Amino acid sequence: MTSTTLTPAVPAPDPAGAPADGSAQPPAVVFVHGMRTSGAIWDRQLEHVRALGHDAVAVDLPAHGARAHERFTLDRSFEVLDEAAASFGPGRRVALVGLSLGGYTSLAWAARRPANLAGVVAAACTSDPKGKPVALYRDVARLVVAGGGAVGRGARWAARTSGAAWSAITRAGRSLPGGGASSHALAGPGDAGAAHRPAAPGWHVVTDALTQLAGRSWLAHVRDVDVPVWLVNGARDHMRLDEQRYLAAAADAALVVVPRAGHDVNSEAPEAFNRVLGRALADFGRGRGARLGA
């Protein structure tokens, strides 16, 4: 296990891109977005890994993007990841890159030990989603979903005020919970009615997602992952609360903290995140049992 803070001097990945296990192709990459966003947040990362020689796709989780008509469940999310991994062809090794909700989902999927998984980059998801702040945020979201008229106005007021409790955990710098900053970039107030911009998912996805996540311990999932795990956090992200516990729980892990970034680390510090991503993908190609970074 290793831990580091990102510095400008970053070793370049193997230019050949060939994994050490003799596989003919470098691992394909599946990107998994955070809550109330879509696969569109990964555009710069898709361009980067494809330039490194990796096939890649950014999925939309249930209740998001092209799957906005679906309800969010982990089981359905696992099916989405199964389909994405299979899309690269039989036997192709696959790496997962997930942010926030997408990171939790990726770790839970990886804990099932799917065949041909090469490694996981789990960003902004090293704090177990449990306890009173999560329950409060989920319950306020339920009020917003159920409310109408005066009740709806009261629920929205409760969301603005009570949401501060959740923000105390999730926010840092200019970040918003679960990729919220990217969500607003996709569909901010000025974008109402813009046909080319997808609308951010409604509050129902918050209730569904937190209901699915609440009560689980992702430390147990991390312990069950049998491939390398790279944990990536923005230095200003309060979701780093348990990062050292996650690092210790994994059998084969690295921790990278990106300076001056918050929760939406891939969009707030895209160049730094891409450098980390290149290092991680190169690391996923090493032989099992080799030292991290060797």
Side-chain angles (χ1 to χ4, degrees):
M1 294 177 292
T2 63
S3 175
T4 185
T5 296
L6 186 67
T7 61
V10 179
D14 177 3
D21 66 358
S23 207
Q25 296 175 291
V29 186
V30 176
F31 290 94
V32 194
H33 61 82
M35 192 184 298
R36 303 190 73 235
T37 63
S38 75
I41 70 168
W42 296 111
D43 285 352
R44 295 185 70 169
Q45 284 72 46
L46 283 166
E47 180 181 6
H48 179 69
V49 301
R50 286 169 178 164
L52 293 177
H54 299 268
D55 292 330
V57 64
V59 302
D60 286 337
L61 290 173
H64 299 79
R67 294 188 172 88
H69 60 286
E70 301 182 26
R71 295 296 293 267
F72 180 88
T73 68
L74 280 175
D75 285 342
R76 177 59 184 136
S77 298
F78 294 159
E79 292 175 355
V80 169
L81 296 187
D82 288 339
E83 294 162 6
S87 71
F88 297 107
R92 184 68 181 275
R93 298 171 72 239
V94 174
L96 290 185
V97 181
L99 174 79
S100 194
L101 175 62
Y104 289 119
T105 301
S106 296
L107 288 171
W109 188 79
R112 301 162 74 214
R113 301 191 175 185
N116 304 321
L117 181 62
V120 180
V121 177
C125 61
T126 52
S127 182
D128 267 12
K130 59 186 178 182
K132 291 182 180 180
V134 171
L136 173 63
Y137 194 69
R138 179 189 60 198
D139 292 344
V140 166
R142 283 176 176 161
L143 285 173
V144 174
V145 171
V151 175
R153 288 193 294 273
R156 286 188 287 274
W157 176 85
R160 288 193 297 270
T161 56
S162 300
W166 174 249
S167 297
I169 295 178
T170 59
R171 291 193 67 181
R174 57 188 178 278
S175 293
L176 291 171
S182 298
S183 168
H184 286 279
L186 287 173
D191 296 324
H196 65 287
R197 288 182 183 265
W203 277 84
H204 67 82
V205 71
V206 178
T207 68
D208 289 347
L210 293 184
T211 296
Q212 291 282 299
L213 269 59
R216 284 176 175 252
S217 172
W218 258 256
L219 283 170
H221 290 319
V222 170
R223 292 188 188 100
D224 287 338
V225 175
D226 64 347
V227 295
V229 176
W230 279 57
L231 306 169
V232 184
N233 289 322
R236 296 175 178 173
D237 186 3
H238 292 174
M239 291 292 279
R240 294 174 55 198
L241 286 172
D242 296 318
E243 65 182 18
Q244 292 299 327
R245 295 177 66 201
Y246 276 57
L247 182 63
D252 189 353
L255 169 65
V256 180
V257 177
V258 179
R260 296 178 297 281
H263 191 66
D264 299 299
V265 59
N266 73 302
S267 57
E268 293 179 21
E271 293 182 1
F273 189 87
N274 283 351
R275 292 199 301 270
V276 175
L277 191 52
R279 290 170 58 187
L281 292 174
D283 180 62
F284 295 162
R286 65 187 166 84
R288 292 295 183 87
R291 181 175 58 83
L292 276 171

